[in-house]
Amino acid sequence: SIAPLSLCLEREVKYFDLANDTTLCPIERNALSDFYDSAKGAEWTDGSLWLDEYASCCDWKGVTCGDDMNMNRVVKLNLTNNGLSGRLSESIGNLTFMTEMDLSDNDIKASIPTELGKLSNLIYLRLSYNAFTGTVPEGLAEMKGLQLLQLQSNR
């Protein structure tokens, strides 16, 4: 059982800090919540179940969790052509079990966060057709398992 999302994100409640309890407040859910806010989730084409108080993040639109050993761990994030804008939050680096990320065909701006380099299990990364600026983070070059990297058509 997990705690309501709003309690996990609330840092101002005196004597009730659940944010560091990863059983009640999974790191992945907190990271995806921050991602949602940074990428202007309220404006997405389809944000089904995102930020639902009691839903597992595994049930959120575009999120796939693993099975067996990686149960309840985010392994895929596919929100291609879904009206994302804003920026890609640094908390994306907390999704360390992720093997595939496709955020292509959106309007995500700013630079690609260096924290993306923490995703050492990533095999497929598609960030093409957005509005990213700046240089590619050096950490991406150290991702030995990365088989597909698509960054074309950004700024």
Side-chain angles (χ1 to χ4, degrees):
S1 171
I2 56 176
L5 180 61
S6 58
L7 286 178
C8 293
L9 302 176
E10 183 60 59
R11 303 203 187 273
E12 303 301 321
V13 177
K14 196 171 186 175
Y15 307 115
F16 195 68
D17 183 12
L18 289 178
N20 296 323
D21 185 331
T22 58
T23 303
L24 293 174
C25 297
I27 293 169
E28 286 88 353
R29 189 171 66 154
N30 293 347
L32 287 170
S33 174
D34 186 47
F35 165 78
Y36 178 89
D37 290 340
S38 296
K40 298 186 179 179
E43 300 172 7
W44 294 356
T45 306
D46 186 355
S48 301
L49 292 179
W50 277 77
L51 303 191
D52 182 281
E53 279 293 304
Y54 298 99
S56 164
C57 63
C58 300
D59 297 327
W60 296 356
K61 167 71 177 174
V63 176
T64 303
C65 291
D67 49 18
D68 300 331
M69 289 190 333
N70 291 332
M71 198 166 103
N72 296 323
R73 300 292 193 163
V74 176
V75 294
K76 295 180 185 177
L77 182 60
N78 185 342
L79 292 168
T80 186
N81 194 24
N82 198 39
L84 281 67
S85 58
R87 62 179 182 81
L88 187 55
S89 74
E90 295 81 10
S91 64
I92 202 80
N94 292 332
L95 302 174
T96 56
F97 288 82
M98 189 149 35
T99 58
E100 299 180 24
M101 184 187 328
D102 190 346
L103 303 177
S104 60
D105 298 304
N106 284 292
D107 191 32
I108 306 172
K109 299 170 180 64
S111 59
I112 298 170
T114 57
E115 289 80 3
L116 205 58
K118 294 180 183 178
L119 304 181
S120 59
N121 292 311
L122 214 53
I123 298 170
Y124 301 106
L125 176 60
R126 293 188 66 219
L127 300 176
S128 52
Y129 299 98
N130 277 287
F132 287 111
T133 57
T135 59
V136 177
E138 290 181 23
L140 293 187
E142 297 172 23
M143 300 172 89
K144 305 297 182 208
L146 198 59
Q147 296 175 13
L148 175 72
L149 174 63
Q150 293 184 338
L151 300 173
Q152 73 270 18
S153 297
N154 281 287
R155 293 188 179 165

